Amino acid sequence: MTNLSTFLNSLKIDSRSSLLLNNVLAPAFIKIRSTIESSKGGFSDTQNSSGEKQLKLDVATNNVLVDFLEKSQLVHSLASEELDEVLKCNERGDFAVAFDPLDGSSLVDANMAVGTIFGVYSTGNNPENFTFIGQKGRNQVLSGIVVYGPKTTMLLAFPGHGVHLFELVLNNSSAEFVHVNGPISIAQDAKYFAPGNARACADRPEYLEVINDWINRGLTLRYSGGMVPDIAHIFVKGSGVLTYPSYSAAPNGKLRLLFECNPISLLIEEAGGVSADGNIAVLDLKINEIHQRTPIFCGSKNAVNEVCNKLRR
Ligand code: AFP
């Protein structure tokens, strides 16, 4: 089994990105996993920028990632779903990192799989001028998701090198991610579908029409309500489509462009899939506000094109 560090060398990933992944992010994910396991649940007395009450675990896992990233000196700035504003770290930092520290945290009390989502941008030759505003997801140099489930697994997208699956291997004295599969491809036709925001069918009958069509054609429904395991399912099975449309009560959908949809869309496109907002590729959407939301339809190309044709914005 090839560990993360050896694998990154084999792909000739640049040393700074390897350092960020191997020495900062991977240890942070291992710490987040143990934070989840030792969590006693419950709400903190704070809200996130979307006005949603924060679980103590949202705050604790966010603090883990902020702490690791700040101390690394590699990071110019970070943006978190759990923080109102961008946090400036090192003005000469090579990277800017956007993340959702624990997506699906409302599922932890039911002991369902949850995850971390992250996207990495290069700050280029003039890091002091970097800002997330104006960026597009296509500028990410790296992205990934980590699934905290029966096992802890990680999917990483390296532009030009595809998507690779890693598994956390624990032994008495240490824990390390090892490479288990990749580059992974997503088939053009979907065998599975993950229909998020089913309530949208109430005022968007065309969404119900698409779902019924997939049911009648024998696609298998696989939806947990946690975007990270639901997306990971598409990669592990090599096929599938996840949808989260807008509707009257949420005209821009629920999922965040910077923290969730951009990192996941880079993974999807690097595996030959498609990820769109109903009109254009998610990765081509301009970031105007760090907590900006977008509808998302992603996964197997033919299924995504089909649903976008019906639910065009
Ligand atoms: P939480 O992080 O609040 O649990 O929401 C999870 C999520 O952001 C994403 O993981 C799911 O795909 C989506 O929300 C589910 O949304 P609904 O609760 O509207 O089904």
Side-chain angles (χ1 to χ4, degrees):
M1 290 190 291
T2 305
N3 69 19
L4 179 60
S5 172
T6 307
F7 180 79
L8 294 173
N9 288 336
S10 72
L11 277 197
K12 297 185 174 36
I13 300 295
D14 71 276
S15 58
R16 310 295 282 172
S17 298
S18 297
L19 207 57
L20 178 68
L21 264 173
N22 206 47
N23 296 30
V24 183
L25 288 171
F29 301 147
I30 294 168
K31 173 78 174 160
I32 284 176
R33 176 184 169 278
S34 60
T35 302
I36 295 167
E37 292 197 335
S38 58
S39 159
K40 299 281 183 291
F43 284 97
S44 72
D45 53 6
T46 56
Q47 290 185 347
N48 67 16
S49 69
S50 310
E52 296 158 344
K53 279 194 76 175
Q54 288 176 305
L55 292 165
K56 287 176 184 168
L57 205 47
D58 288 324
V59 176
T61 54
N62 185 66
N63 291 344
V64 168
L65 263 169
V66 168
D67 185 48
F68 274 77
L69 290 169
E70 273 191 321
K71 285 180 178 161
S72 74
Q73 292 304 307
L74 290 170
V75 175
H76 167 273
S77 49
L78 60 87
S80 166
E81 184 176 309
E82 301 303 334
L83 296 176
D84 290 349
E85 307 293 335
V86 172
L87 185 62
K88 297 285 188 196
C89 304
N90 169 11
E91 66 174 11
R92 300 296 304 158
D94 301 84
F95 303 107
V97 184
F99 56 87
D100 181 356
L102 198 63
D103 183 77
S105 54
S106 67
L107 302 171
V108 169
D109 58 357
N111 195 30
M112 291 171 72
V114 291
T116 297
I117 310 169
F118 70 95
V120 180
Y121 298 77
S122 168
T123 54
N125 299 326
N126 301 303
E128 60 279 1
N129 299 331
F130 179 89
T131 168
F132 286 108
I133 304 306
Q135 291 291 337
K136 293 181 178 178
R138 211 167 286 285
N139 298 343
Q140 294 170 112
V141 293
L142 167 66
S143 78
I145 57 175
V146 184
V147 186
Y148 309 104
K151 292 185 177 181
T152 296
T153 53
M154 175 170 67
L155 282 155
L156 295 178
F158 303 94
H161 296 285
V163 176
H164 291 268
L165 176 66
F166 300 82
E167 188 175 307
L168 184 62
V169 174
L170 305 167
N171 53 44
N172 300 339
S173 57
S174 73
E176 66 174 353
F177 282 99
V178 298
H179 183 257
V180 293
N181 189 19
I184 295 172
S185 293
I186 297 173
Q188 295 205 353
D189 289 318
K191 291 181 185 149
Y192 305 90
F193 70 109
N197 202 16
R199 62 180 76 78
C201 292
D203 63 10
R204 298 193 71 179
E206 66 275 21
Y207 188 34
L208 182 59
E209 195 182 310
V210 167
I211 291 172
N212 281 332
D213 190 34
W214 285 338
I215 292 169
N216 294 333
R217 282 160 39 197
L219 275 72
T220 299
L221 190 154
R222 285 289 181 274
Y223 184 73
S224 75
M227 189 179 198
V228 170
D230 290 339
I231 289 291
H233 188 273
I234 294 175
F235 285 92
V236 172
K237 303 300 182 184
S239 163
V241 56
L242 178 138
T243 53
Y244 201 105
S246 61
Y247 73 125
S248 52
N252 292 313
K254 170 186 182 182
L255 302 173
R256 284 75 170 191
L257 175 60
L258 180 58
F259 311 115
E260 295 161 326
C261 296
N262 272 342
I264 282 171
S265 297
L266 184 70
L267 285 160
I268 295 281
E269 286 205 6
E270 277 298 311
V274 170
S275 180
D277 72 342
N279 281 343
I280 67 168
V282 168
L283 291 177
D284 293 329
L285 293 170
K286 196 169 172 187
I287 296 164
N288 300 307
E289 190 274 308
I290 65 166
H291 293 281
Q292 177 176 340
R293 300 171 191 260
T294 179
I296 186 168
F297 308 93
C298 64
S300 293
K301 179 182 174 185
N302 293 342
V304 173
N305 290 340
E306 185 181 351
V307 62
C308 286
N309 288 337
K310 288 270 180 68
L311 277 83
R312 197 160 294 289
R313 286 188 96 180

